[in-house]
Amino acid sequence: MSAEILIPILLLLAPLIPAVASALLAGHSNWRNTVNIAFALFKLALVTYALAGVASGAEYEWRIAFVPGLDMVLRLDALALLFVTLSGVLWTATTLYAIAYLKGTPHQARFFAFFNLCVVAASGIAMSGSLITFFVFYELLTLATWPLVVHTGSAKAMAAGRTYLAYTLAGSAALLAGIVWLESGAGPVEFALGADLSSFSPAAASLIFALLIGGLGAKSALIPLHPWLPAAMAAPAPVSALLHAVAVVKAGAFGVVRVIYDVYGIETVAALGLGIPLAALASATIIYGSLQALRQSDIKKRLAYSTVSQVSYIILGASLAGPFAVIGGLVHLVHQGLMKITLFFGAGVLAERANITGIAQMDGIGRRMPVTLAAFSIASLGMIGVPPVAGFVSKWYLGMGGYQSGANWVIGVLIISSLLNAAYFLPMLYRAWLKPAAETLPSRQQLAASRTWLLILPGAFTAAAALGAGLFAGFELSPLGWATLIAERIYLR
Amino acid sequence: MSALWLLPLALAVPLLLAAISALPVIRDRSLSLAILAPLPGLAAAFLAPRGEVLVLPDLVLGVTLALSEAGALFLGGASFLWLMAGIYSRFYMRGKDRAGNFALFWNLCLAGNLGVFIAADAITFYVAFALVSLMAFPLVIHDRSAKALKAGVAYIVLAVIGEAALLAGLILSSGAAGGVADISALADAIWLSADRPLILTLLITGFGIKAGLVPLHIWLPVAHPAAPVPASAVLSGAIVKAGIFGLIAFLPLGDSLPATGNTLMTLGFLGAFGAALYGLTQDDPKAVLAYSTVSQMGLIIGTVGAGLAAGLEAALVIMAVTIYALHHGLAKGALFLGVGAMAAASGAAARRQRLILALVALSVAGLPLTGGALAKLALKAPLDGVSEMLITASAFTTLLLLAHFLSLLKPESTGESRAPVMRSLPVAALSLAALALPWTIWNLSGLPLDYTWRQDNLLTAGVPLLLAAIVASVAGRLAFKLPHAPQGDLLALVYTFSRRIALPTQRHISKAGVTLTQLIRLRPLRHADWLKQFADRSEGTLAAALPTLLVTLILALALLAL
């Protein structure tokens, strides 16, 4: 039993040790890679152990006084573990990918140090048991991501970094203001207990909610707080994968989920009438992001707007009370991660190996790079919501959730979003597979000579995972099974 | 182990064959292996117990499979057609590129097609329906010709819209059923739901696109002919039936819905006659057959509509439609494969082939005592009045259209006069099945056997055919020249519209995205430019100014709060 208290700590240390080691081992790339991979695998083993424990009802908690009266709490419940597992699996894939992607480029030690620090922060956000712990890790994430966004050092990257900081710091300020206001009346808020809002008038409680969601919405790219995300596509591909699928936008969305379920509680949010406005904002983001994605001619930029749109599915699910919507939103946290990381891995491979960044350049690339494009295609179809890829499962649950909450318009939003997704993903697939290859495209021989499986296989793996998550959604330990478990615990409380 | 396990096998075998067809070792043989894919489905149609439900809770959202009496006929007919077309494709793809590719999508499409007929819940049904819809696209564009690609784009745009409509309809109806997705529970839930008009519109749109319901049929006359011959055969014979099956499985038959029923009936018969007449303007035999499919599906949809309007008993309508669909699938498969066989034949083989096809064509038109005549009797049996008369009259246009089809078949002079068995067997087997099978399942129609040779029935079937034969032979004697019209009737209008109006207005809009987005952006928005600039400018402003504003606002709020 005493050893089990260590699990949250070990889950934090697993990425922290390689973060420090990467900084220290500058110049020893083989050692650094070994340490990175070893600890990623170690974390996966820990996650597996914890999954078995939490599934059978255990909760691991570790706390220490931060300042007197304010505890740092790390608590591994089912919801935390959903995010930890996602970040653990995708972190491993991204580490392998990043090793291949950055091979031979400068500043790798810096990159891997901050990269791992981001994962520390993401794990911390997931496991935070109190609002203040959450905020500390949330800030760590903001700051640890910045060096990654500006990694290339180009003027464009620096500008993107400034935009990123401006938005996320403003968001953090809002979040902090909200937390301080809330805790001034309700005392320290722990997620296991929720906040006691009795000392606030409904208007004040609503305003605090708006501050919290606004602060978190900056990271999860809710309109109008989204422009940093498309700008940040100036970062290298592994960073985009991390921003879009594992850490940053997910941290924001996860925070929204925590605030709704574990700070305010579903009933309070519904009683204050805050759910529907948030659902409407999320819906507007879904449609707006898709419309903007349709207009982009750059692959990564199109994918970035697609993230703006897809992450709001999670928020939509959280804001519509009702078991189906809860499950749909939570499961999309995982599904969107698997699919979007596949797409960014693919975009990175295209840019790196064939020098393709624009959609118009994709003509005929499918038959030259079949594995990458097959993975890309599966993920694209999943984003559209084609069964049996994972995206369909999210869509079905969200749609049913909308119906259950008496908000039939949600189904309309989902359908329009699906159609827009089809309109911006299918032309890319059409170009890649059916258009004749351009003269400038590297030949099959050239590509075979430069082939690095480490760059190709992570995408193939995540695509297979996205397909598997949909095809075997009925299993107990599938993302859907786990989300159902969380929803049951939320509603039985 | 009961024969119920044949149902999951019917899906697992083609899916497995699809998965291994990507392996380099298998790739070259995958087309031969694909012949085996429909065998478990065929066996299931005969052996699997009816009405028992098999649950596979771990797959997707809990897969449930069951075989109804009608489902078994759809499944058997489709499996047999896929089997024969598979054998034929061994002949057809000989010496052609990308046979492995063809086999991959062939198997996926096959799995989806059979899945539609055995799904017992809405989600499994939707998964199968999406599989057959989307995987038919690679089959349509397999030749990569400009014509095929254009047809493929039209196909995929409508298929995606259909999928979206269907998903919305299924979510709404499952929601109305209290989150249960059992197909048997849905029809009642739809009937009771407050959203009934919306649900029905969505479902009919989704299924209608697949089944060639006018005016949603526009992809069909261009896509079916563009595909390779064996793919055309399954598209027209088996895949459109997925839409028909959806209609009879989900619509609340047995309840009287005059508005929906009459709309469906009108559109159905409009298609039945309109497509047959328009088909006369075509000079590609495969296009003529595609119009014939639209026309025949129109008859079925018309019958469903009439049944829905009058509130006829569900079992009656379903069985009538099923027998008709079964015959049409087999016959249309034989005709499509026959087009390919004729193109490669000469001499005696060509004459034999033409004779067989003529017989099948007469059966489709309803020549008394052929399988087609029985199918038509079964279709008419539950109906009365106008709809029965229209079905009787349709024999006239059907025969004219198919006579036109037969006149377009020109044997290749360089073709082989001895037909290889891979080529002749499928056509012969399908033709035989089309002519004979309705006899063997006649008891399912609930009509006595002597009903088929009753004098008045022989007369009503014979007279329109006689008239059509006279008209056709007079037209042939006088060398009457039929007018020519573009393939894809209304779709041609869409293209003209996009060329004349939409494309010029969107020339300023970004060049990214290809034909698909062009089709989707058909709305001629002159202010699209303005919108785009507005979006760009506001995002720019936001990026620059918003954070500062936010910080100020938050600090102000924080001060207030403290």
Side-chain angles (χ1 to χ4, degrees), chain A residues 220-241:
Chain A
S220 72
L222 267 180
I223 55 169
L225 305 171
H226 66 283
W228 66 270
L229 188 60
M233 61 104 203
V239 178
S240 301

Side-chain angles (χ1 to χ4, degrees), chain A residues 49 76-77 130 140 164 191 202 229 246 267-268 375 394 415 455 471:
Chain A
Y49 178 80
L76 201 56
D77 58 6
S130 68
L140 180 65
Y164 168 72
F191 294 146
L229 188 60
V246 191
E267 294 82 15
T268 318
S394 317
I415 295 302
L455 208 54
L471 202 53

Side-chain angles (χ1 to χ4, degrees), chain A residues 13-26 32 35-36 109 112-114 116-117 120:
Chain A
L13 285 180
L16 188 60
I17 293 171
V20 177
S22 296
L24 295 178
L25 287 171
R32 189 183 57 230
V35 170
N36 271 296
F112 279 102
F114 284 107
N116 284 306
L117 208 54
V120 175

Side-chain angles (χ1 to χ4, degrees), chain A residues 402-472:
Chain A
Y403 186 89
Q404 278 189 335
S405 321
N408 279 357
W409 52 269
V410 168
I411 300 171
V413 170
L414 294 174
I415 295 302
I416 292 171
S417 161
S418 281
L419 288 175
L420 289 171
N421 270 278
Y424 64 77
F425 276 121
L426 291 182
M428 294 165 88
L429 304 190
Y430 184 91
R431 278 181 179 277
W433 293 108
L434 295 176
K435 286 244 173 171
E439 301 273 313
T440 51
L441 217 57
S443 71
R444 217 170 285 210
Q445 288 76 18
Q446 282 169 311
L447 285 169
S450 70
R451 185 186 293 142
T452 347
W453 284 110
L454 210 52
L455 208 54
I456 298 170
L457 289 181
F461 164 74
T462 48
L467 188 58
L471 202 53
F472 301 108

